[in-house]
Amino acid sequence: MIEFRAHGKLFVAGEYAVVEPGQPSVLIALDRAITARVSEGHGAGSVHSAEYGNLPLTWTRAEDGLALDREHHPYDYVMETIDVVEKLRGERGIEPRFHDLRISSQLDDASGRKFGLGSSAAVTAATVGALDRFYGLGLTQRRRFMLALLATIRVNPRASGGDLAASTFGGWLRYSAPDREVLAEALATRPVSEVLDDADVWAGFDVEHLPAPTDLRLLVGWTGSPASTTKLVGVVRRHRDGGYASFLDDSRACVDDLTTGLRTGDAERTLGALRRARGLMQRLGDSVGSRIETDRLTTLCDVVESAGGAAKPSGAGGGDCGIALVPADGDIPSILREWEAHDIRHLTIAVHDPEGPLDERP
Protein backbone atom coordinates (compact mmCIF):
# COMPACT_ATOMS: atom_id res chain seq x y z
CA MET A 1 0.00 0.00 0.00
CA ILE A 2 1.39 3.38 -1.05
CA GLU A 3 0.14 6.46 0.80
CA PHE A 4 0.50 10.14 -0.07
CA ARG A 5 -0.94 13.22 1.67
CA ALA A 6 -1.65 16.61 0.10
CA HIS A 7 -2.71 19.57 2.20
CA GLY A 8 -5.51 22.08 1.89
CA LYS A 9 -4.95 25.80 1.31
CA LEU A 10 -6.17 29.29 1.99
CA PHE A 11 -5.36 32.43 0.05
CA VAL A 12 -3.89 35.29 2.07
CA ALA A 13 -3.71 37.88 -0.74
CA GLY A 14 -3.72 38.18 -4.53
CA GLU A 15 -7.01 36.42 -5.26
CA TYR A 16 -8.55 37.12 -8.67
CA ALA A 17 -5.35 38.79 -9.90
CA VAL A 18 -3.53 35.44 -9.67
CA VAL A 19 -5.58 34.03 -12.56
CA GLU A 20 -3.54 36.31 -14.84
CA PRO A 21 -0.14 34.85 -15.85
CA GLY A 22 2.70 36.16 -13.72
CA GLN A 23 0.50 37.95 -11.17
CA PRO A 24 1.70 37.17 -7.60
CA SER A 25 -0.31 35.89 -4.67
CA VAL A 26 0.34 34.64 -1.14
CA LEU A 27 -1.12 31.38 0.16
CA ILE A 28 -0.75 29.04 3.09
CA ALA A 29 -0.87 25.25 3.18
CA LEU A 30 -2.98 23.85 6.00
CA ASP A 31 -2.45 21.03 8.46
CA ARG A 32 -5.61 19.35 7.14
CA ALA A 33 -5.05 17.03 4.21
CA ILE A 34 -6.41 14.56 1.71
CA THR A 35 -4.79 11.14 1.68
CA ALA A 36 -4.52 8.95 -1.41
CA ARG A 37 -3.72 5.27 -0.92
CA VAL A 38 -2.77 3.14 -3.90
CA SER A 39 -2.54 -0.64 -4.11
CA GLU A 40 -2.18 -3.08 -6.97
CA GLY A 41 -5.33 -3.70 -9.01
CA HIS A 42 -6.27 -6.68 -11.17
CA GLY A 43 -8.17 -6.51 -14.44
CA ALA A 44 -9.34 -2.93 -13.87
CA GLY A 45 -8.53 0.14 -11.82
CA SER A 46 -10.81 1.69 -9.24
CA VAL A 47 -11.28 4.89 -7.26
CA HIS A 48 -12.94 4.82 -3.83
CA SER A 49 -13.98 7.89 -1.87
CA ALA A 50 -16.70 8.40 0.72
CA GLU A 51 -17.22 11.90 -0.68
CA TYR A 52 -18.26 10.51 -4.05
CA GLY A 53 -20.73 7.86 -2.91
CA ASN A 54 -20.60 4.31 -1.67
CA LEU A 55 -19.74 2.60 -4.96
CA PRO A 56 -16.25 2.81 -6.46
CA LEU A 57 -15.56 4.10 -9.95
CA THR A 58 -13.89 1.47 -12.11
CA TRP A 59 -11.80 2.05 -15.22
CA THR A 60 -9.91 0.13 -17.87
CA ARG A 61 -7.67 1.15 -20.75
CA ALA A 62 -8.68 1.86 -24.33
CA GLU A 63 -6.52 2.68 -27.32
CA ASP A 64 -7.13 6.40 -26.92
CA GLY A 65 -6.89 6.58 -23.11
CA LEU A 66 -8.91 5.49 -20.11
CA ALA A 67 -12.36 3.95 -20.52
CA LEU A 68 -14.93 4.46 -17.78
CA ASP A 69 -18.64 4.71 -17.19
CA ARG A 70 -19.70 7.41 -14.76
CA GLU A 71 -22.40 10.01 -14.26
CA HIS A 72 -21.05 12.17 -11.44
CA HIS A 73 -18.44 14.87 -12.02
CA PRO A 74 -16.61 14.83 -8.64
CA TYR A 75 -14.34 12.16 -10.10
CA ASP A 76 -13.23 14.43 -12.95
CA TYR A 77 -10.08 15.74 -11.28
CA VAL A 78 -9.02 12.26 -10.20
CA MET A 79 -9.61 10.69 -13.60
CA GLU A 80 -7.85 13.47 -15.50
CA THR A 81 -4.92 13.11 -13.11
CA ILE A 82 -4.75 9.35 -13.66
CA ASP A 83 -4.94 9.89 -17.42
CA VAL A 84 -2.12 12.45 -17.51
CA VAL A 85 0.09 10.28 -15.29
CA GLU A 86 -0.68 7.27 -17.52
CA LYS A 87 0.43 9.24 -20.57
CA LEU A 88 3.71 10.15 -18.88
CA ARG A 89 4.19 6.54 -17.79
CA GLY A 90 3.73 5.35 -21.36
CA GLU A 91 6.12 7.96 -22.74
CA ARG A 92 8.78 6.75 -20.30
CA GLY A 93 8.31 3.12 -21.32
CA ILE A 94 7.08 1.96 -17.91
CA GLU A 95 4.83 -1.10 -17.99
CA PRO A 96 1.13 -0.35 -17.29
CA ARG A 97 -0.48 -1.65 -14.12
CA PHE A 98 -3.95 -1.38 -12.70
CA HIS A 99 -4.33 0.17 -9.28
CA ASP A 100 -6.97 0.75 -6.64
CA LEU A 101 -7.01 4.31 -5.34
CA ARG A 102 -8.67 5.11 -2.00
CA ILE A 103 -9.19 8.74 -1.01
CA SER A 104 -9.95 10.10 2.45
CA SER A 105 -10.29 13.73 3.49
CA GLN A 106 -9.80 15.98 6.52
CA LEU A 107 -10.96 19.06 4.58
CA ASP A 108 -14.59 18.85 5.66
CA ASP A 109 -16.42 17.90 8.84
CA ALA A 110 -18.07 14.64 9.84
CA SER A 111 -21.32 15.62 8.10
CA GLY A 112 -19.51 16.23 4.81
CA ARG A 113 -19.75 20.02 4.87
CA LYS A 114 -16.94 21.61 2.87
CA PHE A 115 -15.08 24.65 4.15
CA GLY A 116 -13.52 25.89 0.90
CA LEU A 117 -10.06 24.59 1.77
CA GLY A 118 -9.07 23.40 -1.70
CA SER A 119 -10.23 19.80 -1.76
CA SER A 120 -10.13 19.50 -5.57
CA ALA A 121 -6.52 20.64 -5.63
CA ALA A 122 -5.52 18.49 -2.69
CA VAL A 123 -7.02 15.35 -4.20
CA THR A 124 -5.25 16.11 -7.48
CA ALA A 125 -1.90 16.67 -5.76
CA ALA A 126 -2.34 13.58 -3.59
CA THR A 127 -3.19 11.42 -6.60
CA VAL A 128 -0.13 12.65 -8.50
CA GLY A 129 2.09 11.97 -5.50
CA ALA A 130 0.70 8.49 -4.90
CA LEU A 131 0.97 7.45 -8.55
CA ASP A 132 4.47 8.93 -8.79
CA ARG A 133 5.51 6.48 -6.08
CA PHE A 134 3.43 3.62 -7.50
CA TYR A 135 5.15 3.82 -10.90
CA GLY A 136 8.54 4.97 -9.60
CA LEU A 137 8.51 8.11 -11.76
CA GLY A 138 10.89 9.97 -9.46
CA LEU A 139 9.18 13.33 -9.92
CA THR A 140 10.47 16.41 -8.10
CA GLN A 141 8.06 18.63 -6.19
CA ARG A 142 7.96 21.06 -9.10
CA ARG A 143 7.25 18.30 -11.60
CA ARG A 144 4.46 16.97 -9.40
CA PHE A 145 2.95 20.45 -9.30
CA MET A 146 3.30 20.86 -13.07
CA LEU A 147 1.67 17.50 -13.74
CA ALA A 148 -1.16 18.32 -11.35
CA LEU A 149 -1.77 21.65 -13.09
CA LEU A 150 -1.85 19.98 -16.51
CA ALA A 151 -4.54 17.60 -15.22
CA THR A 152 -6.47 20.44 -13.54
CA ILE A 153 -6.75 22.67 -16.60
CA ARG A 154 -8.39 19.82 -18.49
CA VAL A 155 -11.27 20.16 -16.01
CA ASN A 156 -11.08 23.88 -15.20
CA PRO A 157 -9.05 25.82 -17.80
CA ARG A 158 -9.12 29.01 -15.70
CA ALA A 159 -7.67 27.49 -12.53
CA SER A 160 -4.69 29.51 -11.31
CA GLY A 161 -2.95 26.56 -9.69
CA GLY A 162 -2.33 28.47 -6.46
CA ASP A 163 -4.17 25.85 -4.45
CA LEU A 164 -2.10 23.12 -6.11
CA ALA A 165 1.07 24.98 -5.16
CA ALA A 166 0.02 25.11 -1.52
CA SER A 167 -0.91 21.41 -1.58
CA THR A 168 2.41 20.49 -3.17
CA PHE A 169 4.97 22.77 -1.51
CA GLY A 170 3.51 23.55 1.94
CA GLY A 171 4.11 26.49 4.27
CA TRP A 172 3.64 30.17 3.43
CA LEU A 173 4.05 30.71 -0.30
CA ARG A 174 4.35 33.45 -2.86
CA TYR A 175 3.02 32.06 -6.14
CA SER A 176 2.38 33.22 -9.69
CA ALA A 177 0.81 31.19 -12.49
CA PRO A 178 1.85 30.31 -16.03
CA ASP A 179 -0.45 31.00 -18.99
CA ARG A 180 -2.90 28.09 -18.86
CA GLU A 181 -4.10 28.67 -22.44
CA VAL A 182 -0.53 28.12 -23.63
CA LEU A 183 -0.28 25.01 -21.44
CA ALA A 184 -3.58 23.61 -22.71
CA GLU A 185 -2.56 24.08 -26.33
CA ALA A 186 0.78 22.42 -25.71
CA LEU A 187 -0.83 19.51 -23.85
CA ALA A 188 -3.30 18.94 -26.70
CA THR A 189 -0.60 18.66 -29.35
CA ARG A 190 2.55 17.38 -27.65
CA PRO A 191 3.63 14.56 -25.33
CA VAL A 192 3.33 15.27 -21.61
CA SER A 193 7.08 14.82 -21.10
CA GLU A 194 7.83 17.51 -23.71
CA VAL A 195 5.42 19.94 -22.07
CA LEU A 196 7.05 19.36 -18.68
CA ASP A 197 10.51 20.03 -20.17
CA ASP A 198 9.60 23.18 -22.14
CA ALA A 199 10.44 26.18 -19.94
CA ASP A 200 8.81 28.58 -22.42
CA VAL A 201 5.28 27.23 -21.86
CA TRP A 202 5.78 27.64 -18.11
CA ALA A 203 6.74 31.31 -18.35
CA GLY A 204 5.16 33.27 -15.49
CA PHE A 205 5.19 30.34 -13.07
CA ASP A 206 7.12 31.08 -9.89
CA VAL A 207 6.89 29.85 -6.32
CA GLU A 208 8.91 30.59 -3.21
CA HIS A 209 8.57 29.97 0.48
CA LEU A 210 7.99 32.92 2.81
CA PRO A 211 8.74 32.99 6.53
CA ALA A 212 5.74 32.64 8.82
CA PRO A 213 4.96 35.68 10.97
CA THR A 214 6.26 35.23 14.51
CA ASP A 215 4.37 38.02 16.30
CA LEU A 216 0.98 37.36 14.69
CA ARG A 217 -1.47 34.54 15.19
CA LEU A 218 -3.48 33.08 12.33
CA LEU A 219 -7.24 32.68 12.76
CA VAL A 220 -9.66 31.16 10.27
CA GLY A 221 -13.43 31.55 10.42
CA TRP A 222 -16.02 29.75 8.32
CA THR A 223 -19.16 31.71 7.52
CA GLY A 224 -21.38 28.70 6.89
CA SER A 225 -22.16 29.42 3.24
CA PRO A 226 -20.29 27.70 0.39
CA ALA A 227 -19.01 29.73 -2.55
CA SER A 228 -18.31 28.84 -6.18
CA THR A 229 -14.84 30.05 -7.09
CA THR A 230 -15.31 29.24 -10.78
CA LYS A 231 -18.55 31.21 -10.94
CA LEU A 232 -17.18 34.26 -9.11
CA VAL A 233 -13.98 34.38 -11.16
CA GLY A 234 -16.12 34.13 -14.29
CA VAL A 235 -18.18 37.15 -13.20
CA VAL A 236 -15.03 39.23 -12.72
CA ARG A 237 -13.60 38.20 -16.08
CA ARG A 238 -16.82 39.14 -17.87
CA HIS A 239 -16.77 42.62 -16.32
CA ARG A 240 -13.14 43.54 -16.93
CA ASP A 241 -12.81 47.13 -18.08
CA GLY A 242 -10.32 49.97 -17.91
CA GLY A 243 -10.12 49.66 -14.13
CA TYR A 244 -8.96 46.05 -14.25
CA ALA A 245 -5.37 46.95 -15.15
CA SER A 246 -5.29 49.28 -12.16
CA PHE A 247 -6.62 46.49 -9.94
CA LEU A 248 -3.82 44.19 -11.12
CA ASP A 249 -1.19 46.86 -10.39
CA ASP A 250 -2.65 47.50 -6.94
CA SER A 251 -2.82 43.79 -6.20
CA ARG A 252 0.82 43.29 -7.15
CA ALA A 253 1.88 46.22 -4.96
CA CYS A 254 -0.15 44.83 -2.05
CA VAL A 255 1.34 41.33 -2.41
CA ASP A 256 4.83 42.83 -2.67
CA ASP A 257 4.23 44.78 0.55
CA LEU A 258 2.90 41.70 2.32
CA THR A 259 5.90 39.71 1.11
CA THR A 260 8.27 42.35 2.46
CA GLY A 261 6.44 42.42 5.79
CA LEU A 262 6.76 38.65 6.16
CA ARG A 263 10.40 38.57 5.08
CA THR A 264 11.43 41.31 7.49
CA GLY A 265 9.19 40.25 10.39
CA ASP A 266 7.41 43.62 10.28
CA ALA A 267 4.04 42.85 11.88
CA GLU A 268 2.53 46.28 11.23
CA ARG A 269 3.48 46.19 7.58
CA THR A 270 2.03 42.72 7.27
CA LEU A 271 -1.25 43.77 8.90
CA GLY A 272 -1.43 46.90 6.77
CA ALA A 273 -0.99 44.89 3.58
CA LEU A 274 -3.73 42.47 4.63
CA ARG A 275 -6.11 45.38 5.25
CA ARG A 276 -5.30 46.81 1.82
CA ALA A 277 -5.97 43.39 0.29
CA ARG A 278 -9.43 43.42 1.87
CA GLY A 279 -10.12 46.87 0.46
CA LEU A 280 -9.08 45.73 -3.01
CA MET A 281 -11.54 42.83 -2.89
CA GLN A 282 -14.32 45.12 -1.68
CA ARG A 283 -13.73 47.57 -4.52
CA LEU A 284 -13.49 44.78 -7.07
CA GLY A 285 -16.81 43.36 -5.91
CA ASP A 286 -18.46 46.78 -6.10
CA SER A 287 -17.12 47.37 -9.61
CA VAL A 288 -18.50 44.11 -11.02
CA GLY A 289 -21.69 43.97 -8.93
CA SER A 290 -20.68 40.76 -7.16
CA ARG A 291 -20.88 40.09 -3.40
CA ILE A 292 -17.30 39.04 -2.77
CA GLU A 293 -17.58 40.16 0.86
CA THR A 294 -20.87 38.88 2.27
CA ASP A 295 -22.48 40.32 5.40
CA ARG A 296 -21.07 37.55 7.56
CA LEU A 297 -17.59 37.97 6.08
CA THR A 298 -17.86 41.69 6.81
CA THR A 299 -18.70 40.91 10.43
CA LEU A 300 -15.81 38.45 10.67
CA CYS A 301 -13.36 41.07 9.39
CA ASP A 302 -14.74 43.99 11.39
CA VAL A 303 -14.55 42.06 14.67
CA VAL A 304 -10.88 41.33 14.03
CA GLU A 305 -10.04 44.89 13.02
CA SER A 306 -11.71 46.29 16.13
CA ALA A 307 -9.30 44.11 18.14
CA GLY A 308 -6.23 45.48 16.34
CA GLY A 309 -5.83 42.70 13.79
CA ALA A 310 -6.47 42.43 10.07
CA ALA A 311 -8.81 40.10 8.19
CA LYS A 312 -10.29 39.51 4.75
CA PRO A 313 -12.18 36.92 2.73
CA SER A 314 -9.93 34.07 1.61
CA GLY A 315 -10.13 32.97 -1.99
CA ALA A 316 -12.96 34.13 -4.21
CA GLY A 317 -15.13 35.24 -1.27
CA GLY A 318 -18.88 35.06 -1.61
CA GLY A 319 -18.97 32.85 1.49
CA ASP A 320 -16.66 30.13 2.82
CA CYS A 321 -13.72 31.31 4.94
CA GLY A 322 -12.22 34.52 6.20
CA ILE A 323 -8.59 34.65 7.23
CA ALA A 324 -7.21 36.85 10.02
CA LEU A 325 -3.88 37.82 11.53
CA VAL A 326 -4.00 39.08 15.11
CA PRO A 327 -1.17 40.31 17.34
CA ALA A 328 -0.08 37.45 19.58
CA ASP A 329 -0.88 39.52 22.66
CA GLY A 330 -4.32 40.52 21.34
CA ASP A 331 -7.64 39.54 22.91
CA ILE A 332 -8.19 36.45 20.80
CA PRO A 333 -10.83 34.90 23.13
CA SER A 334 -12.97 38.01 22.67
CA ILE A 335 -12.70 37.70 18.88
CA LEU A 336 -13.77 34.09 18.99
CA ARG A 337 -16.73 34.85 21.26
CA GLU A 338 -17.90 37.55 18.85
CA TRP A 339 -17.55 35.20 15.90
CA GLU A 340 -19.57 32.55 17.69
CA ALA A 341 -22.28 35.10 18.52
CA HIS A 342 -22.62 35.78 14.77
CA ASP A 343 -22.61 32.10 13.75
CA ILE A 344 -19.05 32.21 12.45
CA ARG A 345 -17.28 28.93 13.10
CA HIS A 346 -13.66 29.09 14.23
CA LEU A 347 -11.70 26.40 12.41
CA THR A 348 -8.83 25.00 14.44
CA ILE A 349 -6.33 25.12 11.61
CA ALA A 350 -2.59 25.65 11.52
CA VAL A 351 -0.09 26.06 8.71
CA HIS A 352 1.55 22.88 7.46
CA ASP A 353 5.30 23.36 7.45
CA PRO A 354 7.12 22.68 4.19
CA GLU A 355 9.03 19.43 3.93
CA GLY A 356 12.13 20.98 2.40
CA PRO A 357 13.60 23.93 0.52
CA LEU A 358 12.45 24.97 -2.94
CA ASP A 359 15.76 24.38 -4.67
CA GLU A 360 14.40 22.71 -7.83
CA ARG A 361 13.82 24.49 -11.12
CA PRO A 362 11.68 23.32 -14.06
Side-chain angles (χ1 to χ4, degrees):
M1 175 76 70
I2 293 170
E3 181 174 300
F4 195 93
R5 287 164 56 85
H7 294 261
K9 61 77 193 165
L10 283 170
F11 271 94
V12 180
E15 300 94 333
Y16 288 102
V18 72
V19 301
E20 304 297 337
Q23 281 286 335
S25 62
V26 174
L27 304 97
I28 52 173
L30 307 175
D31 61 354
R32 297 191 184 191
I34 281 181
T35 302
R37 297 177 177 88
V38 179
S39 59
E40 195 79 26
H42 303 282
S46 64
V47 182
H48 307 249
S49 174
E51 294 190 22
Y52 304 156
N54 295 324
L55 297 177
L57 174 73
T58 58
W59 57 272
T60 57
R61 291 185 178 85
E63 291 184 3
D64 57 350
L66 302 183
L68 63 154
D69 181 16
R70 58 162 171 76
E71 297 179 354
H72 302 294
H73 69 82
Y75 282 110
D76 286 352
Y77 287 97
V78 177
M79 295 312 302
E80 292 295 349
T81 302
I82 294 173
D83 193 42
V84 170
V85 172
E86 285 288 324
K87 285 181 168 59
L88 181 61
R89 172 205 57 76
E91 292 164 16
R92 292 190 174 184
I94 298 173
E95 286 296 315
R97 298 154 64 191
F98 287 114
H99 48 77
D100 295 322
L101 176 65
R102 296 180 180 271
I103 298 165
S104 57
S105 176
Q106 298 174 327
L107 300 184
D108 44 42
D109 66 10
S111 67
R113 286 180 298 184
K114 296 183 181 298
F115 299 130
L117 304 180
S119 58
S120 296
V123 75
T124 302
T127 300
V128 168
L131 294 182
D132 170 32
R133 293 178 178 175
F134 182 76
Y135 280 123
L137 297 172
L139 300 174
T140 64
Q141 274 188 321
R142 286 179 180 266
R143 291 303 175 96
R144 291 204 312 269
F145 164 81
M146 295 159 80
L147 204 61
L149 184 57
L150 292 178
T152 296
I153 62 175
R154 292 170 66 172
V155 181
N156 179 10
R158 295 176 180 170
S160 72
D163 45 7
L164 291 169
S167 291
T168 302
F169 300 109
W172 285 75
L173 292 174
R174 179 183 169 108
Y175 167 82
S176 60
D179 190 322
R180 279 82 69 215
E181 291 184 5
V182 171
L183 285 181
E185 181 178 352
L187 185 60
T189 57
R190 299 165 58 188
V192 173
S193 54
E194 283 188 14
V195 178
L196 292 176
D197 290 337
D198 188 346
D200 289 340
V201 302
W202 294 93
F205 163 49
D206 191 33
V207 61
E208 63 174 302
H209 279 134
L210 298 172
T214 56
D215 297 328
L216 299 171
R217 178 173 168 187
L218 171 74
L219 298 177
V220 178
W222 184 60
T223 63
S225 56
S228 170
T229 298
T230 302
K231 181 179 178 180
L232 288 165
V233 170
V235 168
V236 170
R237 290 181 66 88
R238 288 194 299 272
H239 289 83
R240 288 184 298 180
D241 54 22
Y244 189 65
S246 176
F247 165 74
L248 294 180
D249 289 341
D250 290 343
S251 179
R252 179 181 291 276
C254 182
V255 170
D256 286 345
D257 212 28
L258 177 61
T259 299
T260 300
L262 291 170
R263 285 174 177 162
T264 60
D266 187 334
E268 285 306 314
R269 189 166 189 168
T270 299
L271 292 174
L274 197 64
R275 295 184 187 112
R276 285 168 54 201
R278 179 193 179 189
L280 280 175
M281 292 185 74
Q282 289 173 324
R283 291 194 292 275
L284 179 65
D286 291 342
S287 69
V288 301
S290 177
R291 296 202 67 195
I292 291 176
E293 185 172 297
T294 62
D295 291 343
R296 199 167 289 179
L297 282 170
T298 295
T299 299
L300 181 153
C301 296
D302 289 348
V303 167
V304 172
E305 290 196 2
S306 67
K312 58 179 284 297
S314 178
D320 278 336
C321 290
I323 189 168
L325 291 175
V326 182
D329 59 357
D331 189 357
I332 292 173
S334 177
I335 292 174
L336 300 184
R337 285 195 298 270
E338 282 293 305
W339 279 6
E340 184 178 5
H342 290 90
D343 293 325
I344 297 166
R345 179 172 174 178
H346 173 226
L347 301 183
T348 53
I349 287 176
V351 177
H352 171 68
D353 292 332
E355 296 180 1
L358 287 174
D359 56 359
E360 308 156 8
R361 290 293 181 267

